[in-house]
Amino acid sequence: MVIPVYFKTEGFSQPASSLHFLLAANGLFIVNKTTLYASVTKAAKPDRLIDQEESLALRFPKIPREIMEQAYGFFDAVYRKWDGEGVVFLYHDPSNGAYRVVVPCQTLFRYRSLGGRWRTEMRVEYESAPRPQGFIKLGDIHSHADMPAFFGCADDKDDVEDGLRIVMGQLDRSRPDIRVSFVIGRTRFILDPKDVIEDFATTIEPPPEWLDRIFCREESDNRPGALHEKEAPSKKQNGHD
């Protein structure tokens, strides 16, 4: 016997089925309508059922070294120029295994410290971007500037879209720190980078149009909250120069 399952969402109306399961925000119920009564009761766990663990099996090839080096080059350039973070979208074509990096328009936030130097906040806001024809969005990669790579509370809050999440940190070192996860329905699966990406070590210089999509919102002593597009301090000197 097959018992249908219905979901109680906004605008839900009772189905005609005399016996069915109803999944609501507060649990699973059994709805039973007979000639004598109509009942809605909590569904008890059947004795024959066993537990199921959460699991994830990836079905896409490793992200090629060149793609990672393109993202690394972009993040390195943003860090050297603005001391800031960055984000790129990652697209995949399942028909031929191809990958593509897309840089959305994004905003960095800078402020003048008490000593008069410009500082960049450790956050970046970004817009949507057109999906390349024939590709599906696999996820995104974002950087943490010279901070370690990790998934924090902000990531848990922001990652409402299912997909691959890669964080690249410690860009002030000879090799970046990498963390990889895959988010499904707000559940984050932590992955071994070696299982997802090919090994990489160098940067590929980003095309100028990628950096043209970086905007800086700078707060100065005279003009708080003013927006200065493309205004930035001199290039930062670090180990990648």
Side-chain angles (χ1 to χ4, degrees):
M1 179 181 181
V2 177
I3 303 178
V5 180
Y6 296 92
F7 297 87
K8 191 167 187 179
T9 57
E10 184 120 7
F12 172 81
S13 59
Q14 286 289 340
S17 173
S18 61
L19 180 64
H20 59 266
F21 287 108
L22 180 63
L23 183 60
N26 58 331
L28 182 66
F29 296 81
I30 296 178
V31 179
N32 192 11
K33 303 174 186 177
T34 73
T35 56
L36 299 178
Y37 63 85
S39 64
V40 180
T41 58
K42 275 274 192 179
K45 179 180 176 182
D47 294 335
R48 296 184 180 180
L49 292 185
I50 61 176
D51 292 338
Q52 171 65 50
E53 298 292 333
E54 293 182 321
S55 65
L56 173 69
L58 302 181
R59 294 183 174 180
F60 54 86
K62 287 185 179 182
I63 301 172
R65 175 177 56 100
E66 182 181 3
I67 292 294
M68 293 304 301
E69 290 176 347
Q70 289 176 7
Y72 186 16
F74 172 71
F75 297 145
D76 182 67
V78 173
Y79 172 64
R80 286 187 286 114
K81 189 170 185 179
W82 291 289
D83 290 323
E85 301 182 355
V87 62
V88 302
F89 296 157
L90 187 62
Y91 291 87
H92 176 55
D93 184 348
S95 66
N96 57 20
Y99 286 94
R100 184 174 297 180
V101 170
V102 172
V103 176
C105 291
Q106 47 203 278
T107 301
L108 301 176
F109 298 85
R110 296 177 60 79
Y111 63 94
R112 194 182 295 278
S113 67
L114 294 178
R117 296 182 57 189
W118 284 106
R119 305 285 186 180
T120 303
E121 295 183 27
M122 291 297 100
R123 67 185 176 108
V124 58
E125 293 184 358
Y126 54 91
E127 302 176 9
S128 59
R131 176 175 57 86
Q133 186 174 2
F135 286 77
I136 61 175
K137 189 176 181 181
L138 178 60
D140 60 58
I141 312 173
H142 73 271
S143 64
H144 277 183
D146 56 0
M147 295 178 60
F150 60 89
F151 297 103
C153 296
D155 297 301
D156 292 335
K157 182 179 179 180
D158 293 340
D159 288 342
V160 296
E161 185 181 26
D162 292 347
L164 185 68
R165 301 287 181 268
I166 301 177
V167 182
M168 193 178 299
Q170 295 182 331
L171 300 179
D172 56 335
R173 302 188 178 185
S174 59
R175 292 186 65 121
D177 185 28
I178 300 290
R179 294 293 182 272
V180 180
S181 70
F182 204 98
V183 176
I184 297 289
R186 294 276 192 178
T187 297
R188 185 183 301 279
F189 293 90
I190 302 298
L191 307 174
D192 188 335
K194 297 193 295 295
D195 296 333
V196 183
I197 62 178
E198 293 183 355
D199 190 32
F200 69 98
T202 61
T203 63
I204 294 179
E205 192 71 20
E209 57 266 25
W210 283 14
L211 296 181
D212 287 341
R213 294 169 192 161
I214 301 289
F215 300 87
C216 285
R217 186 179 295 275
E218 299 182 344
E219 294 184 353
S220 65
D221 295 335
N222 299 324
R223 299 169 58 194
L227 179 64
H228 306 282
E229 295 183 2
K230 309 300 181 296
E231 292 183 12
S234 59
K235 182 177 179 181
K236 177 182 176 66
Q237 300 295 318
N238 61 34
H240 298 304
D241 289 344

